[in-house]
Amino acid sequence: MQKIYLTLALLLLSACNPFSSTTENVKDVHASFQTPPSKDGKDHMDDPAIYINKKNPEKSFILGTDKSHHGGGIHLYDLEGHEIGFARDGRMNNVDVRYNFPLKGKRIDIAVASHRDKKRMAVYEIDAETQSLKNITDPSFTFSFKPYGCCLYHNPQTDKFYFFATSTSGLVEQVELIATDEGLVSGKRVRAFNVGSKSEGCVCDDENGTLYLGEEDVALWKYDAEPSGGDVRVRIDNVGEHLKADIEGITLYKAELNKGYIIVSSQGNSTYVIYSLTPPHNYVGTFRIVGKGDIEGTEETDGIAATSFALPPHYPKGLFVAHDNRSSKAKAGKPGGSDFKLVSWESIKKVLDLVE
Ligand code: CA
Ligand code: CA
Ligand code: CA
Ligand code: CA
Ligand code: CA
């Protein structure tokens, strides 16, 4: 009988302890650098993207959205978190990058963002040399809703480029990116489907033709990224054991074709959850970013981005970038403002004992 009471007591204890079960397996990593926080102390930053300069990897940089009502846009940061540029174009919510888009007989690298207040996307030509953005949006193309999250897809076989816009209603629209004669980028609607409820974060695996999408309070889903994919989907994980609502940013760490990880920001408990990129996408592990020295940890992360590309000298196995709801300045009792934290993948690989 005593044994039963003891078991019951232990069960009750573990049920009441927020750090029990899955949380005790959460591994801690530190960020190497952080970006300047939003100036008014509010959480304006949302989603990062990493631009790889293949010729000169050290000149690769980070794009970070700013959804401020006053002066929002896209910030550019170097690999040590210093701000190196800003495109002030309104409330940008999420941003993604692709390479070699055909425009007026040239191949250009592009960044595309979702505009939170207007029913449109913002398309930029990326200048690798000057580390700057040039707005090349055709303003005549609009969505049927104000886009919330977004991600890009490039089919390497057909060489077509697509943009997925997600929404707070759950409606998703896929548009093909079309170059105009004027040298701008427009869209052609090729697919629409309803996820069921509020959706923001998404990412595409170009080589495998898949779209990973978060239904914030419900589940992480996989769809076919091709316009013919309809609304057929596979559930990868539910909100519950590993993921605490909201499911926010989603990114991929692709080491080689078909090898690597899907990483999800579990905003409700400020952790990052890793699944295998290989079906059936088994759970791999969970980590969080904790403070060290002047750089504190992350809370309530929105967007994340990762690359396996070696970026010397700080990121030999690639880079992971995460939005932080409150910057270190919040500690001194002052308004903190949100920023982005830069983490070496090597440290994540080490603490989680990852293969890649
Ligand atoms: Ca992004
Ligand atoms: Ca959200
Ligand atoms: Ca923080
Ligand atoms: Ca936020
Ligand atoms: Ca967000």
Side-chain angles (χ1 to χ4, degrees):
M1 200 57 162
Q2 247 177 350
K3 241 185 192 168
I4 294 169
Y5 281 132
L6 189 70
T7 315
L8 272 172
L10 281 171
L11 270 173
L12 266 170
L13 211 74
S14 71
C16 298
N17 181 359
F19 297 104
S20 72
S21 66
T22 57
T23 317
E24 68 195 14
N25 297 319
V26 176
K27 303 293 184 194
D28 294 347
V29 300
H30 308 292
S32 302
F33 298 97
Q34 63 190 347
T35 63
S38 44
K39 289 190 177 68
D40 62 2
K42 292 184 181 146
D43 177 23
H44 296 313
M45 310 307 181
D46 196 288
D47 181 52
I50 303 167
Y51 175 69
I52 306 293
N53 183 330
K54 291 200 175 84
K55 278 191 214 151
N56 193 354
E58 288 175 47
K59 282 197 84 182
S60 299
F61 57 90
I62 294 154
L63 299 87
T65 60
D66 184 330
K67 57 191 181 189
S68 163
H69 285 277
H70 313 286
I74 298 177
H75 299 273
L76 305 182
Y77 308 103
D78 69 15
L79 296 177
E80 294 187 344
H82 306 108
E83 182 152 3
I84 54 170
F86 182 55
R88 186 186 297 271
D89 278 335
R91 297 185 72 206
M92 300 303 164
N93 200 51
N94 286 182
V95 63
D96 203 1
V97 163
R98 282 297 182 277
Y99 303 84
N100 297 315
F101 178 78
L103 187 79
K104 296 210 101 181
K106 283 198 307 175
R107 289 278 175 166
I108 62 163
D109 299 335
I110 54 169
V112 190
S114 48
H115 199 301
R116 188 79 178 258
D117 285 337
K118 297 184 175 163
K119 291 180 175 175
R120 60 171 188 82
M121 53 188 175
V123 188
Y124 298 90
E125 177 175 356
I126 299 172
D127 189 323
E129 277 305 301
T130 60
Q131 297 181 303
S132 61
L133 302 179
K134 180 183 164 195
N135 195 325
I136 50 167
T137 313
D138 173 4
S140 67
F141 175 78
T142 54
F143 295 96
S144 68
F145 52 77
K146 287 176 185 168
Y148 188 38
C150 70
C151 54
L152 288 167
Y153 167 52
H154 173 233
N155 179 325
Q157 273 84 45
T158 63
D159 200 23
K160 288 186 174 181
F161 289 75
Y162 301 95
F163 178 84
F164 285 93
T166 58
S167 70
T168 51
S169 72
L171 192 63
V172 176
E173 285 187 1
Q174 180 177 6
V175 301
E176 186 182 338
L177 297 183
I178 307 288
T180 70
D181 293 340
E182 293 78 37
L184 300 176
V185 178
S186 192
K188 185 175 97 182
R189 197 168 291 103
V190 292
R191 177 188 183 187
F193 57 91
N194 204 314
V195 175
S197 65
K198 192 178 187 185
S199 300
E200 182 177 5
C202 64
V203 67
C204 288
D205 179 348
D206 292 358
E207 286 74 23
N208 291 304
T210 45
L211 162 72
Y212 297 98
L213 195 153
E215 187 178 0
E216 291 197 349
D217 299 329
V218 181
L220 173 65
W221 300 103
K222 176 169 83 166
Y223 290 81
D224 189 335
E226 282 298 300
S228 57
D231 56 7
V232 178
R233 64 185 184 179
V234 174
R235 187 189 301 267
I236 294 176
D237 202 0
N238 284 323
V239 164
E241 191 185 358
H242 305 300
L243 298 167
K244 303 281 179 249
D246 301 354
I247 294 175
E248 267 287 336
I250 306 170
T251 190
L252 303 179
Y253 181 89
K254 292 187 76 175
E256 283 171 44
L257 199 63
N258 295 325
K259 280 166 88 183
Y261 307 106
I262 307 159
I263 310 154
V264 183
S265 166
S266 173
Q267 193 175 44
N269 61 354
S270 302
T271 64
Y272 310 95
V273 183
I274 303 181
Y275 301 89
S276 173
L277 191 61
T278 311
H281 309 296
N282 290 333
Y283 168 76
V284 174
T286 304
F287 68 98
R288 70 185 152 210
I289 302 171
V290 297
K292 190 182 184 186
D294 288 343
I295 305 175
E296 62 131 66
T298 56
E299 296 82 33
E300 295 166 41
T301 293
D302 277 296
I304 53 176
T307 181
S308 66
F309 202 88
L311 299 170
H314 306 297
Y315 315 103
K317 294 260 184 274
L319 166 67
F320 177 77
V321 183
H323 156 269
D324 178 18
N325 193 33
R326 291 190 302 280
S327 85
S328 49
K329 285 193 179 153
K331 270 189 164 174
K334 296 173 192 160
S338 54
D339 62 17
F340 297 98
K341 302 287 196 262
L342 285 63
V343 182
S344 172
W345 186 263
E346 200 172 33
S347 61
I348 298 167
K349 180 178 191 279
K350 197 172 152 195
V351 294
L352 285 166
D353 205 15
L354 300 176
V355 181
E356 305 296 344

